[in-house]
Amino acid sequence: MTQAAILEIEALTKSFGGVRAIQDLSFSLYPHAVHSVIGPNGAGKTTLFNLITGVFSPTSGRVLLQGQDLASKTVHQRAALGVSRTFQNLQLCLNMTAIENVMLGCHLHVNHRFLPALFRLPRIASQERSCRERAAELMEYVGLGNYISADTTSLPYGAMKRLEIARSLAAEPKLLLLDEPAAGLNGAETAELEALIQKLSAAGVTVVLVEHDMKLVMNVSQHIIVLNYGRKLAEGSAREVRENPEVIAAYLGEQAA
Amino acid sequence: MSDGNDSLGAPAALTGTSARLAESSSLLARLLSARQGGFALLLATVLLAPLFMDGLYHYDLAVLIGINAIIVIGLNLLVGYAGQISLGHAGFFGLGAYTSAILTARYDWPGLLALAASAAFVGLVAFIVAKPILRLRGYYLAMATLGLGMIIYLVLTSESWLTGGPDGMDVPPLVVFGRPVMGEQTWYWIVAMILLLTYWLALNLIDSPVGRALRAVHGSEIAAATAGVDATGYKVLIFVVSSALAAAMGGLYAFYSGFITPSSAGFLHSIHFVVMVVFGGMASIVGSLVGAIVLTLLPQMLTVFADYDALVYGLILMLVMIFMPKGLVPTLASWLRRSR
Amino acid sequence: MFAEFLQYLVTGVTIGAIYALVALGFSIIFNASHVINFAQGEFVMLGGMSAVFLLASGIPLPAAVLLAVLCGAVLGIALYKLGIAPARHSDPIPLIIITIGAGLALRGIAQIVWGKGFHSLPAFSGNEPIGLLGAVIMPQSLWVVGTTCVVVALLAYFFNRTRLGKAILATSYNRDAAQLMGINTDMIMIVSFALAGLLGAVAGAVVAPITFTYYEIGVMLGLKGFVAAVLGGLGSFPGAVAGGLVLGVTEAMMAGYISSHYKDAVAFVLILLILFFMPTGMFGKQSAERV
């Protein structure tokens, strides 16, 4: 608790017309841990991710990354500050090959200016080569070694999800937001995902998970936040949350409490 | 960037990956690539074509094809790669043509300076409208670019004191170092050089992080932004570049033909450019060349049909789009790939 | 002063009614198929031209107009069957090019059959101007506005009260759901295209006595009708009517009070303004992307 928080959410509220998707939400996330945000459908989890990454602007409240208020920062500016994410409804560029999608993730680490690219200065060519190699490595790392030369459209669903993770890793983020990465995966694939998340955490990436797969969440998280109807219902370690009567009631209905 | 001990502790299964990547730089792959093989082919075509030309009429056609090809390459970067739409591109062409013409004919500017000034001026206009226009998507963007092109056309038609009105205006020849640049053959070589340069630069751009960023904006703008791509910035950039290119070609065309009319900025001319892009193949520079060649030659060949030319042209458009919606070159390329 | 204003208003409403009819055609096809039919203007042209030539071949005027309108419907169906249906699974841009090609082909046919000259149709009920509060109204203007009102009323009844009309609306909201409910979406498309062709031809026939008709008149009319449709919100029927009227009146006021040179520019300046400040049009549906 003596280290500074990597992400702070202060009194965050987001309304869409009459609907309050997020209400007065506050929490802090500390680095080098795996955090999970859980809650019933419609609790506001993806909205929270959209607020952190800048897709939505809050109605009120603040999002702070390493102490810096993100209020005026656009999505791509926040990416440059070290935030990366995957999407619940996959957002892959189907007009590019699988490896090109991962190479896209390298964007912030390469010279992406117009004139050097136009005249193909020598550094651009060598940079393209190393970017491609790194993308291939990352695809191997997430288990997509067989798809390195594939078109994105030929990938099975589970592989597409992993491709998105590879793309988000290419950016070498400080804060990685994974939106329902286990959705649509079978038992074996989920175990691989669990191992991957732990590997990332050990390497120093702060991972935030939105998930419905409770087994995965409990196995992998050091810190869990429970949302319900846009408000924070509970927060704590895996055991604390598991045994919290309000959480149980929200998930299983009043009788189980 | 790719040392065996990267921060994620990835197991270095590099032999497999390197081997898989190495095959792409074999000689055959390079020959078939657009950047190297394609450039060589284009260079050869440009150098050898005059041997087959029979009279100045053929040179004239070649100049027109070249000018169209350069514009269409620029437009394809905007439409095919970055996924935007422009139904008013001829407006930039016409504006460039008229700016060059007016500066030289009425204000005695030196030709090259007028040309540079037109490209810069139109680029500036494009820059000013780019941000509000490129916020739009789909049909709304199409409509906005159409509107912009039409407004330019109407201004050029109405301000006759400056532009000569609907009947057009004469343009003095381009004078470089005291000598007038005239003649279909001279212009052939000028346009050919610019085409080769444009082709090479465009392919450089595509095979780079900028090209990837553009295609990502097309594929999923939100994914691109999440990866750190300044989507708006790139859209504005490519919009301005392709508009300035069209304007420069407009200016060159004005000097070449000696006479311009407002229809060069009109809706039908804009549609011609878009059709060349789509017909040849979106996101295919080679396709842009093919589209420009076929669709510049086609109306010429159809004059044989006299009054039937519009009908035949329209039918050809429909048939190609029905059976080859991805465009000529990508469809042929995928047929070739499938039969291998 | 007032008489002048009223005169411009009359002109504006008259031409606005035509734009409204063209815009309705765009919206109907867009709702059914998400295609922008760049040949819509040609339906207008062919309505006028065929009425002229049917009349010239001896058929009395009312029958000629009716036949021309029916031709429009048939042409709409032909466009769907020959141009759109074969390419149904394409992206929007190839479909747009197909309609552009179709428009070009139709212009080509008109050019071959009828030449490049200007033609005109006699006014439906004579040329005696009617005076109203100092302004002069041509009877044909009343025909234009009246026909448009009748057409709009019939369309409203069709879409809101008949099964087929409601099925078309349902298909436009959610095509898959409509198919699952047993709606024959192919029939929907046929009817929609027929309607759009019919509307175009009505506009063409009824305005031909006022403006000359010639083989290229469809281009500008189509573009302005499209502008009117987007002004009101592409796909919205009240929007198409409102957009058409707003465009027509603004154009007439511009031509009357400021400059007739830039009359045509009004449509395009208006569309840029609307798109910059109200992208979904006056009545359009707002939609947000879900990520």
Side-chain angles (χ1 to χ4, degrees):
Chain A
M1 281 302 202
T2 48
Q3 19 167 238
I6 187 172
L7 184 71
E8 287 158 280
I9 306 291
E10 286 180 6
L12 198 61
T13 302
K14 178 64 182 171
S15 306
F16 294 104
V19 178
R20 292 245 191 90
I22 300 274
Q23 277 198 70
D24 202 28
L25 186 60
S26 299
F27 61 81
S28 298
L29 299 183
Y30 291 91
H32 309 307
V34 178
H35 310 264
S36 287
V37 178
I38 64 175
N41 271 322
K45 310 188 292 294
T46 298
T47 308
L48 177 62
F49 270 15
N50 284 335
L51 286 165
I52 295 173
T53 51
V55 176
F56 296 149
S57 296
T59 310
S60 65
R62 301 201 299 166
V63 177
L64 295 133
L65 182 70
Q66 293 183 307
Q68 185 181 21
D69 189 346
L70 294 182
S72 56
K73 304 260 180 254
T74 61
V75 176
H76 78 272
Q77 285 168 333
R78 297 185 196 202
L81 290 173
V83 182
S84 195
R85 81 174 279 186
T86 64
F87 295 87
Q88 188 180 4
N89 307 316
L90 286 174
Q91 291 285 343
L92 287 174
C93 299
L94 300 175
N95 58 335
M96 309 198 308
T97 62
I99 196 169
E100 286 172 330
N101 266 287
V102 182
M103 287 168 78
L104 175 64
C106 298
H107 186 85
L108 288 164
H109 298 288
V110 298
N111 182 341
H112 52 255
R113 290 185 355 257
F114 179 67
L115 287 175
L118 194 65
F119 294 107
R120 204 164 181 83
L121 300 184
R123 266 209 24 211
I124 298 280
S126 69
Q127 189 181 264
E128 280 293 282
R129 259 196 306 277
S130 40
C131 181
R132 187 171 279 265
E133 278 168 14
R134 175 155 174 74
E137 279 170 38
L138 281 170
M139 285 182 76
E140 299 263 9
Y141 185 68
V142 299
L144 293 175
N146 291 329
Y147 295 105
I148 287 181
S149 344
D151 272 329
T152 314
T153 44
S154 67
L155 261 55
Y157 182 74
M160 284 190 181
K161 295 217 85 162
R162 278 180 278 161
L163 190 65
E164 236 191 31
I165 295 180
R167 179 185 74 206
S168 59
L169 290 177
E172 295 177 35
K174 294 182 199 143
L175 183 67
L176 179 60
L177 308 175
L178 299 174
D179 200 343
E180 298 199 30
L185 298 186
N186 64 33
E189 292 170 325
T190 308
E192 283 173 20
L193 176 65
E194 193 181 313
L196 176 61
I197 293 176
Q198 280 163 341
K199 215 168 19 178
L200 291 175
S201 180
V205 183
T206 308
V207 180
V208 186
L209 215 55
V210 157
E211 245 319 317
H212 281 292
D213 184 333
M214 282 307 131
K215 184 155 159 270
L216 173 65
V217 168
M218 295 298 164
N219 284 350
V220 101
S221 322
Q222 280 87 51
H223 173 226
I224 300 178
I225 297 166
V226 187
L227 294 186
N228 197 17
Y229 294 114
R231 287 182 184 283
K232 182 167 71 177
L233 187 60
E235 182 179 358
S237 71
R239 160 172 302 179
E240 287 165 359
V241 164
R242 207 166 30 214
E243 294 169 355
N244 183 315
E246 284 180 44
V247 174
I248 297 171
Y251 265 103
L252 301 174
E254 288 299 328
Q255 271 115 12
Chain B
M1 244 203 211
S2 62
D3 56 289
N5 279 340
D6 70 39
S7 58
L8 297 176
L14 284 174
T15 39
T17 12
S18 292
R20 272 183 278 242
L21 291 175
E23 49 177 86
S24 60
S25 41
S26 69
L27 184 61
L28 183 64
R30 265 197 273 170
L31 261 179
L32 289 173
S33 79
R35 256 185 70 235
Q36 287 157 318
F39 183 82
L41 189 59
L42 182 62
L43 182 62
T45 311
V46 160
L47 291 173
L48 296 175
L51 298 174
F52 299 93
M53 307 254 206
D54 189 20
L56 289 177
Y57 173 64
H58 288 164
Y59 279 99
D60 177 53
L61 271 182
V63 170
L64 290 176
I65 290 175
I67 290 178
N68 281 339
I70 295 165
I71 296 172
V72 171
I73 288 177
L75 187 58
N76 204 346
L77 288 174
L78 179 68
V79 172
Y81 288 92
Q84 307 303 302
I85 307 176
S86 178
L87 293 183
H89 220 62
F92 296 124
F93 174 83
L95 193 56
Y98 269 87
T99 311
S100 296
I102 290 168
L103 287 175
T104 47
R106 294 197 200 283
Y107 298 102
D108 286 324
W109 278 42
L112 286 178
L113 190 60
L115 197 59
S118 343
F121 170 62
V122 175
L124 184 64
V125 170
F127 182 73
I128 293 173
V129 298
K131 265 217 174 137
I133 279 190
L134 293 170
R135 255 189 287 146
L136 304 165
R137 306 276 157 83
Y139 299 115
Y140 302 121
L141 176 59
M143 195 70 245
T145 54
L146 196 158
L148 183 64
M150 287 305 296
I151 291 175
I152 294 176
Y153 166 75
L154 289 167
V155 170
L156 291 175
T157 314
S158 309
E159 301 297 317
S160 352
W161 61 277
L162 189 61
T163 64
D167 295 325
M169 68 179 280
D170 289 314
V171 188
L174 179 64
V175 173
V176 179
F177 302 130
R179 306 221 337 262
V181 180
M182 304 230 308
E184 286 82 345
Q185 284 175 304
T186 320
W187 277 104
Y188 172 80
W189 293 111
I190 296 175
V191 171
M193 280 196 304
I194 300 178
L195 177 59
L196 284 165
L197 184 66
T198 308
Y199 182 85
W200 180 65
L201 291 178
L203 282 169
N204 282 350
L205 204 58
I206 285 158
D207 207 2
S208 76
V210 175
R212 216 166 18 253
L214 288 176
R215 281 188 297 147
V217 166
H218 186 187
S220 164
E221 202 170 313
I222 188 71
T226 306
V229 172
D230 179 5
T232 308
Y234 280 110
K235 287 198 281 189
V236 170
L237 174 70
I238 203 66
F239 185 75
V240 170
V241 165
S242 62
S243 309
L245 186 61
M249 288 302 110
L252 275 181
Y253 175 75
F255 288 129
Y256 168 67
S257 83
F259 179 72
I260 47 172
T261 65
S263 61
S264 61
F267 176 63
L268 290 175
H269 200 197
S270 291
I271 293 297
H272 280 154
F273 289 136
V274 172
V275 171
M276 285 184 214
V277 171
V278 181
F279 182 91
M282 294 210 279
S284 164
I285 300 295
V286 174
S288 298
L289 282 178
V290 171
I293 293 172
V294 173
L295 293 173
T296 309
L297 288 178
L298 196 58
Q300 302 291 331
M301 299 195 300
L302 290 179
T303 51
V304 172
F305 290 98
D307 276 334
Y308 287 78
D309 60 342
L311 175 59
V312 176
Y313 191 83
L315 285 176
I316 290 178
L317 281 186
M318 290 177 74
L319 288 170
V320 173
M321 281 298 104
I322 291 173
F323 295 111
M324 293 197 273
K326 283 207 174 325
L328 209 55
V329 171
T331 308
L332 290 176
S334 64
W335 286 350
L336 276 171
R337 250 182 283 145
R338 243 182 281 153
S339 64
R340 245 199 259 150
Chain C
M1 264 301 290
F2 178 70
E4 197 182 44
F5 173 77
L6 194 59
Q7 190 69 60
Y8 298 144
L9 193 62
V10 166
T11 312
V13 169
T14 308
I15 196 67
I18 298 296
Y19 293 153
L21 287 174
V22 181
L24 278 171
F26 271 112
S27 288
I28 291 178
I29 289 187
F30 180 75
N31 272 339
S33 64
H34 279 271
V35 170
I36 302 291
N37 176 22
F38 273 96
Q40 189 67 29
E42 269 62 49
F43 291 152
V44 178
M45 180 269 290
L46 283 165
M49 293 288 261
S50 39
V52 168
F53 284 91
L54 283 168
L55 182 69
S57 64
I59 302 176
L61 185 59
V65 169
L66 241 73
L67 270 176
V69 168
L70 278 172
C71 279
V74 168
L75 250 145
I77 299 177
L79 174 62
Y80 170 67
K81 279 289 175 193
L82 298 174
I84 306 294
R88 189 107 49 87
H89 301 290
S90 286
D91 293 327
I93 294 190
L95 285 170
I96 290 177
I97 307 272
I98 289 175
T99 61
I100 291 175
L104 197 55
L106 288 172
R107 276 204 292 289
I109 293 178
Q111 191 184 340
I112 296 167
V113 175
W114 295 311
K116 294 192 181 185
F118 287 72
H119 304 276
S120 108
L121 206 56
F124 292 3
S125 58
N127 273 315
E128 274 298 314
I130 303 168
L132 177 70
L133 299 174
V136 166
I137 306 181
M138 300 301 292
Q140 194 63 28
S141 295
L142 293 176
W143 274 103
V144 170
V145 178
T147 312
T148 307
C149 289
V150 168
V151 165
V152 170
L154 285 174
L155 278 179
Y157 178 79
F158 173 70
F159 282 114
N160 291 321
R161 299 295 172 92
T162 66
R163 280 196 68 195
L164 183 57
K166 287 199 253 195
I168 295 181
L169 280 182
T171 313
S172 78
Y173 293 139
N174 188 329
R175 196 204 181 82
D176 292 327
Q179 262 181 322
L180 289 172
M181 299 260 78
I183 293 178
N184 180 352
T185 43
D186 196 50
M187 182 51 70
I188 300 293
M189 300 284 260
I190 291 178
V191 172
S192 299
F193 273 81
L195 266 178
L198 193 142
L199 283 171
V202 166
V206 96
V207 86
I210 300 181
T211 67
F212 289 109
T213 183
Y214 68 110
Y215 82 115
E216 274 204 331
I217 199 176
V219 182
M220 209 36 131
L221 265 179
L223 283 180
K224 290 192 195 170
F226 183 31
V227 168
V230 176
L231 262 181
L234 192 55
S236 156
F237 297 145
V241 177
L245 288 172
V246 166
L247 179 59
V249 171
T250 314
E251 236 184 40
M253 294 297 158
M254 171 70 165
Y257 288 119
I258 305 176
S259 148
S260 63
H261 267 306
Y262 283 108
K263 175 170 74 97
D264 287 338
V266 170
F268 306 107
V269 172
L270 259 182
I271 198 66
L272 279 179
L273 288 175
I274 288 271
L275 287 175
F276 287 171
F277 299 114
M278 258 201 302
T280 49
M282 301 185 292
F283 294 88
K285 305 154 205 168
Q286 307 270 353
S287 67
E289 208 191 331
R290 277 200 89 195
V291 275

